[in-house]
Amino acid sequence: MKIITKIGKPFVFSFCLFTLAFCCQSPKSNNETPEIMEESYYSLEDFDQIEKIDAHVHLRTDFDTVFIRQAARDKFRLLNVSVYTSPNLTPEAQEDFSLKLIGEFPDIVSYGTTFSLEGFTNNDWESKTLDYLEKSIGRGAIAVKVWKNIGMELKNERDELVMITDPAFDSILQLLMEKDITLLGHLGEPKNTWLPLEEMTVQGDRDYFRENPRYHMYQFPDLPSYEEQIAARDQLLANNPDLRFVGAHLGSLEYDVNELAKRLDSFPNMAVDMAERISHLQHQAVSNWEGVRDFIITYQDRLLYGTDLRAGASDIQAKGLTEPEEISEHAHQVWLRHWQFFTGDLEMQVPKVTGTFKGLKLPKTVVDKIYRTNAEKWYPGILQ
């Protein structure tokens, strides 16, 4: 067995201070013991003992309470996120269900709302949307979600694709800033979306875009590029520096921690969640373990744990899981693998990543931020 010994910066600094103090101390201080700073770490045994928040799940039906019951066993609170994908599932229906869940599980569930894009070109769309969001926030929504259909599907009266920088959204952004509400933005898609399936870097993307070809942008070269999608999001943040923004799915910059770091440096009011993109961090850790770990430690105040767990997820469908016990165990294993990745230091292999990588063994202080306190900071009211 190979044992690797690593001396961290805090230890080296403290050792230098100790040496200096020892050399310079007066005789009467010989019995004083200097304080040496040491990092502490969680273990696998701590997993179901530590309070945690999964800040991005989608619970839609009574069946989905299986996730909530497993969350209670694994010490998770959940942020249930509404998303407008089509008129078939309205924001109102999603909100009503979230409020029902909060009534049944008040210590576990919080929710973020969204708004409809139906009738976007109508003169009263803006006023109706503002009215709905006012009521939704009044009912307890702690965030508002916008989805990738802005930039990829929504069109204006001239049949042009609408980006998030469109003036139609200005009054909504202003309302969020006035109400101190976070905008959760799934804007753009993984860079893999613009590649052939066989060139995508993680299995999760290959599965998703095989099942959802309408979002496989490689097949639609005439639509806005990846760079244009990201540029629109960046322009939104530049135009609204007071807007508290969480970029869903590592801000659609999942492919390179250095590119994500550039945005976090540029936009101090931006954080990102990791929902359904932890495999991309693991993919990078195969060849750049130190870079991934350094990134997380450097930006430890800007990263939120999330999974995107939902009954219709590609991995659940691919395994043919239908029974509550199977779904519950799946959620448990997802949460547990992620905990191993962030807290352990063993070699790992996971279903969505080709190759092996080591766990990041992050200090407790960093893990606590990722798993709980950052969500409390970026989503005020999540623990009410």
Side-chain angles (χ1 to χ4, degrees):
M1 177 182 296
K2 183 169 67 175
I3 300 177
I4 300 174
T5 303
K6 181 179 276 189
I7 300 178
K9 292 181 182 177
F11 180 88
V12 174
F13 180 68
S14 297
F15 180 78
C16 293
L17 288 179
F18 171 76
T19 303
L20 181 62
F22 180 80
C23 293
C24 300
Q25 64 185 349
S26 62
K28 66 178 182 180
S29 64
N30 282 343
N31 293 327
E32 294 179 0
T33 302
E35 181 179 352
I36 298 178
M37 300 289 292
E38 292 184 359
E39 293 285 9
S40 57
Y41 302 89
Y42 288 122
S43 69
L44 188 60
E45 289 70 31
D46 294 313
F47 171 71
D48 59 1
Q49 304 301 312
I50 303 301
E51 296 286 347
K52 303 176 288 295
I53 297 174
D54 185 333
H56 193 140
V57 301
H58 299 291
L59 310 178
R60 297 287 178 264
T61 69
D62 288 329
F63 179 85
D64 293 339
T65 57
V66 65
F67 292 110
I68 301 175
R69 299 182 193 282
Q70 186 60 48
R73 290 189 284 270
D74 288 341
K75 281 291 184 74
F76 273 101
R77 285 181 58 91
L78 305 175
L79 177 59
N80 192 32
V81 179
S82 296
V83 55
Y84 178 79
T85 59
S86 75
N88 296 328
L89 186 57
T90 66
E92 291 85 353
Q94 295 178 67
E95 177 173 272
D96 288 344
F97 186 69
S98 286
L99 292 171
K100 175 187 173 184
L101 293 179
I102 291 171
E104 296 175 5
F105 305 95
D107 297 328
I108 298 179
V109 180
S110 302
Y111 86 102
T113 189
T114 189
F115 53 87
S116 175
L117 298 175
E118 191 173 9
F120 176 75
T121 57
N122 296 343
N123 292 332
D124 61 350
W125 177 84
E126 182 178 343
S127 61
K128 285 183 176 180
T129 300
L130 291 172
D131 182 61
Y132 172 72
L133 289 176
E134 289 260 17
K135 292 177 180 176
S136 188
I137 293 167
R139 299 178 81 187
I142 61 170
V144 172
K145 168 82 176 281
V146 290
W147 198 51
K148 62 190 179 186
N149 45 12
I150 299 174
M152 290 188 165
E153 293 178 329
L154 180 65
K155 292 188 176 182
N156 60 22
E157 62 277 0
R158 297 182 298 278
D159 201 38
E160 301 166 333
L161 281 171
V162 174
M163 292 290 187
I164 192 62
T165 49
D166 192 282
F169 300 113
D170 288 350
S171 59
I172 294 172
L173 302 176
Q174 186 61 40
L175 175 68
L176 300 186
M177 288 183 279
E178 291 173 359
K179 297 288 186 179
D180 194 30
I181 295 294
T182 301
L183 179 67
L184 172 60
H186 177 171
L187 297 166
E189 277 285 72
K191 197 170 186 180
N192 277 339
T193 313
W194 280 265
L195 296 174
L197 288 172
E198 63 274 13
E199 294 182 22
M200 293 184 180
T201 55
V202 298
Q203 188 61 41
D205 284 351
R206 289 190 286 271
D207 291 342
Y208 178 83
F209 294 110
R210 184 179 294 111
E211 295 173 10
N212 297 274
R214 65 186 176 131
Y215 298 122
H216 187 189
M217 292 297 105
Y218 175 75
Q219 303 182 70
F220 306 103
D222 294 335
L223 294 180
S225 66
Y226 172 80
E227 290 75 17
E228 289 174 293
Q229 299 285 347
I230 297 302
R233 192 278 316 284
D234 289 352
Q235 191 61 53
L236 164 76
L237 300 180
N239 293 346
N240 300 276
D242 295 328
L243 177 69
R244 188 169 58 243
F245 179 83
V246 173
H249 314 299
L250 290 176
S252 294
L253 292 160
E254 71 299 313
Y255 73 100
D256 187 346
V257 292
N258 294 315
E259 287 299 317
L260 179 51
K262 292 176 185 178
R263 275 39 178 228
L264 295 176
D265 289 341
S266 298
F267 307 116
N269 228 9
M270 175 188 183
V272 294
D273 75 32
M274 303 177 179
E276 194 43 56
R277 299 296 183 268
I278 291 173
S279 62
H280 290 265
L281 295 176
Q282 294 167 335
H283 170 74
Q284 292 176 70
V286 171
S287 58
N288 186 25
W289 179 90
E290 188 171 1
V292 173
R293 189 175 190 273
D294 288 348
F295 166 80
I296 291 178
I297 290 175
T298 300
Y299 297 95
Q300 59 187 269
D301 297 313
R302 317 279 288 280
L303 307 172
L304 286 67
Y305 179 74
T307 59
D308 213 20
L309 277 174
R310 59 198 188 279
S314 297
D315 48 1
I316 291 178
Q317 299 299 310
K319 293 177 181 178
L321 306 181
T322 57
E323 297 300 318
E325 297 79 9
E326 296 173 328
I327 303 292
S328 181
E329 180 61 18
H330 171 82
H332 173 68
Q333 290 300 325
V334 168
W335 284 326
L336 192 61
R337 279 199 303 271
H338 292 163
W339 180 263
Q340 289 175 297
F341 176 55
F342 290 120
T343 65
D345 59 359
L346 299 178
E347 290 283 339
M348 297 182 65
Q349 288 183 299
V350 298
K352 296 179 181 179
V353 176
T354 302
T356 61
F357 52 89
K358 281 198 316 177
L360 298 177
K361 199 168 181 65
L362 299 169
K364 281 184 178 180
T365 51
V366 177
V367 173
D368 286 339
K369 289 179 180 181
I370 290 171
Y371 271 95
R372 182 174 56 82
T373 60
N374 285 348
E376 297 170 5
K377 170 186 173 182
W378 290 89
Y379 293 117
I382 196 169
L383 295 182
Q384 289 181 358

